[in-house]
Every structure is written in structure tokens, then in C-alpha cells.
Amino acid sequence: MFEHDVTRRRFMEAGGGAAAASLVMATGAAAAPPQRSGGVQAIGQPMPTGVVLSKTRPAPKRADSVGFAIIGLGGYALNQMMPRFPQAERAHVAALVSGNPDKLRQVGDAYGVPPQSRYSYETFARIASDRRVEAVYITLPSGLHADWTERAFAAGKHVLCEKPMALSSAECERMISAGRRANRKLMIAYRCHFEPYNMQAMALMEQNAVGQLRLVRTEQSYRMPPTNPSENWRVNRALAGGGPLEDYGLYGLQAALYLAREMPESISATGFRPADDPRFSEILAHVSAQLRFPSGAVAQLVTSYDSAGGNIVYARGTAGSLIMDPATGYAGNRMVLKSGRDQRELTPGDSDVQFARQLAHFADAIRDDAQIRTPGEMGLRDLRLIEAIYASADTGRTVMLNPDGTMRS
Ligand code: NAD
């Protein structure tokens, strides 16, 4: 039983769970024309490494399957998400959007997408009259999410947007408003909410499996190979934000929130950017943050693009510990629950299901008008907290927060 009902309610109101998705989407006038975000543009890129295109076309789906257009044929879309569509009962790849005509042709042929449903960034607006497409899945660099979400809503489509939702809370608010105006749904692709280990961790916290939670520690780090902002969008501020926090570190922030199950009331943070390193000419190399929750629990998060890889989440309470290492991977996650002398390794299921499950969840939400587990409001909440982390790191001061994650003036 959750002991802090008031903070729990505020957590849910701040985008913490499915209840936040119950915001009624009003029908209204057509969405306003989209604005360009900060001068960054979608530009075609080569085929990513490691892509193996199937020679067998996907089997036809049931009649009520939702057709998705995929925007941004990058590593994550082509290696992880698109191959998982066949596992999602009511979702299929119906259209593609890319700035690289050769890649568009190769991927289109492999996925059986007809030529008339293959779009460039310039011809995207025509998708409005493509009846095969009901939803758009945005896997562009993060600085392009807001702009293309607005374009997709303007075309009358539902939007599944990769994490981070955008690079500022103002962008997130624009995206949510655009969805409401268009009367279309918005989901953020937070895959861990569909991953068996992380779902089990959430359930264990709800059951007080470690007693009263006192401490969460998260670490998401890896060493970025030599690069610079013109060749790699992940180190380009306009496309990636301030550094590893919006990318890998977001998993730690998310885990802290879904394990603590309340909103922090204050944040103190530091950032570090080494001099004379082209990887970090525009972004931070490390970010660390401490979140204090109304219950007294504390979360310590670290994330780095310049240290050997780690992906851990620890939750420690008055009666035991939950140790996840690795915590949020595509596969190979491990979880140990310790209580006194008792130590149990838990194996709640195959992590591979997370990709198809989130596609199926969004398709169900569209078809059945069901609540979305990871709505735009959750992405907005997270961007507010990221802004508070950067504000604290910039000023060296503790930032006090309102229950919705905005900073107290
Ligand atoms: P990527 O660099 O492999 O692919 C990005 C693709 O976007 C490119 O291939 C290209 O098709 C397109 N693009 C359009 N304009 C571009 C521009 N100006 N610069 C670079 N690419 C441009 O990146 P990725 O790893 O596939 O990440 C894409 C999105 O997916 C990001 O938002 C990222 O945060 C998210 N992602 C999520 C997960 C997850 O586990 N949920 C994992 C990886 C990436």
C-alpha cells in the first residue's frame, strides 16, 4: 500500500502514470501550421551500420491493424523497432519518410511499402491524404521531435514519439496542445514501461518489497568514441540537448520516478564538460543529480558519455534492496531482490517483448480509445525535471520544485 497518498496523487497528475492520460482530447479546428524548431532540419543520412533487411515481406495483418509511417530511418528504427512490428498484432509499417532516396527504396522494398507511401521530408505533408497511415512513429534526432510531431498532427495522424519527447518543456507543451487541437493521441516511446524486469520492479515497489524506500541510485554511462557536433547529432546541442541526460540518463531519471512513485520536491545537480574535447564542445560529458522526495527518500543519478559502460538501478528500503544490473537494456537485464539473508534472482520474462508491446499498446489506445501508459504529459514532466537539473548545475544551487515538476520561482 502506498503510504504517501497525497504525493502519489500529485505524481500521477504530473504525468506519472496512466491516469495522466485521461486528459480529454477536445475536437477543434485544424492544427496551426508547424514552426521549425531552432533552425535544425531533417536531413537524409546513410544506411546505419548493422542493418539486415529481411528478404521476406511481412505477412498481411488483421483488418483492424493500425498503419504506421516511420519518420527517420536510423539505427534504432531499422535495427530494433521495425523488425518487431510483425510481433504486434494490430500494428504494421504502412509508410516511410526519409531524406535518402536510396535508403527509402531499399527499406520500402524490404517492408513491402508501396512507392506511393514512400515520402521525403519535403513531400511529407501529402501523407494527410494517405488513408493507409493512421499513426506516425518519430525516430528522428531529439531536436526534431517537436517540429515533426506538430507536422504529423497537422496531417491528422496519431503520434508515437521517441524519447526524449523534445528538448524543452515549452516544446512538449506545444506538442501536447497540437495533439489536442487535432484530436489525435500522443505517446512517448518509453519502452521500459513495457519491459518485464522494469514492470516487475514497479510492481515490487507498489507491494513495498523493500519496505519504505529510502535510496535510489542510477547510473547510465558509456564512452562516446571520437566525434564532433557536425558528424554526430548526439553531441550537437541543437539536436541532442545538453548531453547524456536527455539520452541515456533519462532511463535513470525515469527509473527513479517509477520506483519512488512520487515527484521530487528539490533537486541539486552538477555537470562537467572537459576542455578541448570535440565530443564535448557543445554538450556536457557527465551530469549528476540528487532528487529529494517528500517521503524523505533520495535518488542519486549519474550519467556520462565519457566513462566505461554501466546501466544500473538500485532501490534500497528499510527492509531490503532491489538491484538491477543491467537495468534497462534491450536484452540481458538482471534483477536481484535482497531481504535480510534472503537473496533471490528474479526472471520475470523476456525483455525482447518490450518493443512490440509498446507498438501494440499504442495501436490498442487508438482502436479502443484506451488510456496511454506513457502519454505526452509524462514526457513533459521529465523535461521539466531535466530543466531543473540543468538550472541547479548552472547555478550551483538547490532548485525547489512544485508538485508538477516546474521550478519554484
Ligand atoms: P540515428 O542517428 O541512428 O538515426 C537518426 C536518423 O534520423 C537518421 O538515420 C536519419 O534517417 C534521420 N535524420 C533526419 N535528420 C537528421 C539530422 N539532421 N541528423 C541526423 N539524422 C537525421 O539515431 P537513433 O539512435 O536511431 O535515434 C533516433 C531517436 O530514437 C532519438 O530520439 C533517440 O533518442 C531515440 N532512441 C531511442 C532508443 C530507445 O531505446 N527507446 C534507443 C535509441 C535511440
Side-chain angles (χ1 to χ4, degrees):
M1 176 63 197
F2 191 79
E3 294 193 353
H4 312 283
D5 285 340
V6 174
T7 55
R8 171 77 178 144
R9 197 182 65 238
R10 287 178 179 158
F11 176 67
M12 299 302 280
E13 286 167 0
S22 62
L23 283 168
V24 179
M25 292 189 174
T27 5
Q35 310 284 313
R36 282 219 171 274
S37 53
V40 289
Q41 298 220 357
I43 300 167
Q45 303 292 322
M47 183 73 89
T49 51
V51 176
V52 181
L53 292 173
S54 169
K55 297 209 175 358
T56 324
R57 292 205 171 172
K61 284 292 180 87
R62 48 191 258 191
D64 65 348
S65 174
V66 173
F68 282 70
I70 317 296
I71 306 192
L73 304 179
Y76 187 63
L78 287 166
N79 288 321
Q80 305 302 332
M81 289 300 287
M82 290 176 62
R84 266 50 176 246
F85 270 86
Q87 298 164 20
E89 210 180 344
R90 283 210 283 193
H92 65 277
V93 175
L96 301 172
V97 186
S98 171
N100 176 334
D102 194 42
K103 187 167 65 173
L104 190 59
R105 182 185 50 73
Q106 286 181 57
V107 178
D109 289 352
Y111 280 87
V113 172
Q116 63 274 26
S117 292
R118 301 178 191 177
Y119 300 89
S120 68
Y121 297 120
E122 287 72 31
T123 62
F124 173 75
R126 288 188 210 150
I127 210 164
S129 54
D130 191 336
R131 294 172 65 85
R132 285 177 289 264
V133 177
E134 287 180 76
V136 165
Y137 172 42
I138 297 179
T139 57
L140 292 164
S142 311
L144 297 165
H145 290 179
D147 189 12
W148 286 89
T149 294
E150 288 186 294
R151 288 170 192 243
F153 283 139
K157 310 301 178 186
H158 302 282
V159 174
L160 173 63
C161 179
E162 260 310 325
K163 47 59 59 181
M165 178 171 173
L167 298 186
S168 71
S169 58
E171 284 185 336
C172 296
E173 281 165 1
R174 264 176 35 208
M175 294 159 79
I176 292 169
S177 300
R180 286 195 197 138
R181 280 197 305 272
N183 194 26
R184 290 293 175 269
K185 293 185 187 293
L186 173 59
M187 170 167 158
I188 310 306
Y190 281 135
R191 59 179 170 75
C192 290
H193 289 258
F194 304 89
E195 193 278 325
Y197 284 74
N198 284 273
M199 292 174 76
Q200 174 82 36
M202 293 174 207
L204 287 169
M205 290 299 125
E206 208 167 324
Q207 296 154 15
N208 279 343
V210 298
Q212 289 174 9
L213 185 69
R214 290 289 186 250
L215 175 64
V216 177
R217 286 178 57 208
T218 69
E219 181 200 318
Q220 277 66 41
S221 60
Y222 73 90
R223 191 131 203 275
M224 176 77 70
T227 190
N228 63 62
S230 53
E231 71 174 26
N232 183 344
W233 69 265
R234 279 191 163 79
V235 298
N236 177 310
R237 178 170 283 272
L239 289 168
L245 179 60
E246 288 90 333
D247 186 24
Y248 207 5
L250 184 48
Y251 291 96
L253 176 63
Q254 273 261 315
L257 296 171
Y258 55 64
L259 297 179
R261 305 171 68 245
E262 53 183 338
M263 283 292 282
E265 59 187 13
S266 70
I267 288 183
S268 51
T270 59
F272 174 68
R273 191 169 73 84
D276 303 326
D277 186 331
R279 294 173 302 166
F280 305 116
S281 58
E282 296 191 2
I283 63 160
L284 295 169
H286 318 298
V287 178
S288 71
Q290 179 158 301
L291 281 57
R292 206 188 67 222
F293 295 96
S295 64
V298 168
Q300 294 180 324
L301 326 178
V302 282
T303 183
S304 171
Y305 271 163
D306 198 26
S307 74
N311 178 7
I312 59 168
V313 172
Y314 292 171
R316 300 195 191 277
T318 51
S321 301
L322 183 67
I323 296 172
M324 303 172 72
D325 180 9
T328 65
Y330 297 163
N333 291 324
R334 297 192 66 190
M335 185 156 74
V336 172
L337 182 63
K338 290 183 180 176
S339 175
R341 289 197 187 151
D342 186 37
Q343 175 165 322
R344 272 187 300 144
E345 173 141 12
L346 306 177
T347 52
D350 184 353
S351 297
D352 193 65
V353 298
Q354 62 189 312
F355 307 98
R357 267 193 193 165
Q358 66 176 353
L359 292 170
H361 180 77
F362 193 46
D364 289 347
I366 291 169
R367 279 286 169 269
D368 308 335
D369 200 22
Q371 283 193 346
I372 293 174
R373 205 179 294 167
T374 56
E377 287 75 10
M378 183 182 275
L380 168 63
R381 174 203 72 181
D382 293 350
L383 259 297
R384 285 177 175 158
L385 296 178
I386 287 171
E387 287 171 345
I389 289 171
Y390 286 135
S392 174
D394 281 350
T395 59
R397 298 216 170 125
T398 298
V399 170
M400 305 304 294
L401 299 171
N402 295 310
D404 65 358
T406 53
M407 289 179 264
R408 276 198 227 160
S409 49

